[in-house]
């Protein structure tokens, strides 16, 4: 049976190992899946994780990014027509888990503007993948997200994974971000992820009615 407390268990190894293990176990990936642990830097690890899990990804190889006079960097991922780009500085590329800078396009000035910095590639990868790689559940923003999280925090054990707050249980993962981690979102965000065949009766009371609809 999969470990139900992988991400929030600091004693289970480094963040990247825990993230790979979570997706390997929760999504029943084959033993030869490219999500094997690696001694490469965090950015190279993201290429393995992102390309293997984001279905239909057309992500190009790492490419150079240099907004104005800022330090040279490489783009890990970009969204839509490049209006959001996630960048690791070239000088930090081979760190085990380097920070990721989030840029958005400024339509008025035709340039990329830094919105915030994510503490590490692992936190960026977790936030990005939880936004896109799940099949049942829901995402809510703002006051409703805060309200759901407060009630869940009274019913469940809360853990953390870098900037992300987590609740993990049998067939359940809840991810809470006070402000955006991978995304330039200023409102609280909560993502609730359950398997297709989850027994709703086993879930916290706060979630049963919402997921039963």
């Amino acid at each position: 049976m999969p470990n139900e407390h992988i991400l929030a268990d600091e004693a289970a190894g480094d963040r990247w190992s825990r993230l790979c293990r979570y997706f390997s176990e929760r999504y029943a990936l084959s033993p030869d899946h490219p999500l094997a642990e690696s001694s490469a830097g965090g950015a190279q690890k993201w290429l393995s994780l992102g390309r293997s899990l984001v279905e239909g990804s057309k992500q190009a190889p790492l490419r150079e990014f240099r907004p104005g006079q800022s330090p040279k960097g490489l783009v890990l991922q970009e969204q839509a027509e490049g209006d959001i780009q996630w960048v690791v500085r070239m000088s930090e590329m081979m760190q085990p888990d380097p920070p990721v800078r989030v840029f958005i396009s400024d339509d008025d000035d035709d340039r990329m503007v830094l919105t915030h910095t994510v503490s590490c590639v692992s936190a960026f990868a977790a936030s990005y993948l939880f936004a896109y790689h799940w099949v049942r559940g829901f995402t809510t923003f703002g006051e409703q997200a805060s309200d759901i999280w407060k009630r869940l925090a009274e019913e469940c054990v809360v853990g953390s994974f870098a900037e992300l707050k987590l609740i993990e249980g049998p067939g359940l993962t809840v991810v809470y971000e006070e402000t955006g981690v991978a995304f330039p979102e200023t409102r609280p965000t909560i993502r609730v992820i359950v398997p297709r065949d989850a027994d709703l009766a086993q879930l916290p009371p706060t979630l049963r009615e919402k997921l039963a609809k």
Side-chain angles (χ1 to χ4, degrees), residues 83-122:
D83 59 336
I84 304 178
Q85 296 184 358
W86 293 271
V87 178
V88 171
R89 284 182 176 174
M90 201 86 79
S91 59
E92 300 168 338
M93 196 70 172
M94 291 308 297
Q95 292 181 14
D97 211 359
V100 178
R101 289 161 177 82
V102 184
F103 290 83
I104 62 171
S105 61
D106 183 342
D107 294 334
D108 295 331
D109 201 18
D110 193 28
R111 64 191 181 95
M112 301 301 292
V113 177
L114 177 68
T115 64
H116 66 284
T117 300
V118 184
S119 65
C120 56
V121 172
S122 295

Side-chain angles (χ1 to χ4, degrees), residues 20 24 36 43 50 65 68 75 92 102 111 115 122-123 146-147 153-154 157 160-161 171 175 189 197 205:
C20 289
S24 295
F65 177 86
V75 177
E92 300 168 338
V102 184
R111 64 191 181 95
T115 64
S122 295
S146 296
D147 180 60
E154 294 175 354
V157 176
S160 62
F161 184 86
V175 183
T189 303
D197 58 353

Side-chain angles (χ1 to χ4, degrees), residues 48-210:
S48 173
L49 182 67
R51 285 178 171 173
S52 61
L53 288 179
V54 181
E55 295 181 6
S57 175
K58 297 181 180 178
Q59 176 177 297
L62 294 176
R63 63 179 182 78
E64 186 173 338
F65 177 86
R66 193 169 190 176
Q69 299 303 310
S70 297
K72 191 178 295 185
L74 294 177
V75 177
L76 292 185
Q77 180 85 0
E78 60 183 20
Q79 182 169 295
E81 285 73 40
D83 59 336
I84 304 178
Q85 296 184 358
W86 293 271
V87 178
V88 171
R89 284 182 176 174
M90 201 86 79
S91 59
E92 300 168 338
M93 196 70 172
M94 291 308 297
Q95 292 181 14
D97 211 359
V100 178
R101 289 161 177 82
V102 184
F103 290 83
I104 62 171
S105 61
D106 183 342
D107 294 334
D108 295 331
D109 201 18
D110 193 28
R111 64 191 181 95
M112 301 301 292
V113 177
L114 177 68
T115 64
H116 66 284
T117 300
V118 184
S119 65
C120 56
V121 172
S122 295
F124 151 71
S127 177
Y128 186 91
L129 291 170
F130 280 126
Y132 291 113
H133 193 75
W134 50 277
V135 293
R136 185 183 182 190
F138 64 87
T139 299
T140 301
F141 301 93
E143 291 184 11
Q144 186 177 15
S146 296
D147 180 60
I148 292 173
W149 178 253
K150 287 176 183 176
R151 286 185 280 140
L152 283 174
E154 294 175 354
E155 300 169 0
C156 309
V157 176
V158 175
S160 62
F161 184 86
E163 291 99 315
L164 285 69
K165 298 296 182 184
L166 297 165
I167 292 171
E168 293 177 274
L172 171 71
T173 304
V174 180
V175 183
Y176 181 73
E177 301 177 14
E178 187 65 41
T179 58
V181 176
F183 299 90
E185 176 63 64
T186 57
R187 301 170 295 171
T189 303
I190 191 168
R191 305 188 199 281
V192 177
I193 302 123
V194 297
R196 290 186 192 275
D197 58 353
D199 181 358
L200 299 187
Q202 301 300 314
L203 299 181
T206 297
L207 300 179
R208 290 176 198 158
E209 182 178 351
K210 191 170 184 65

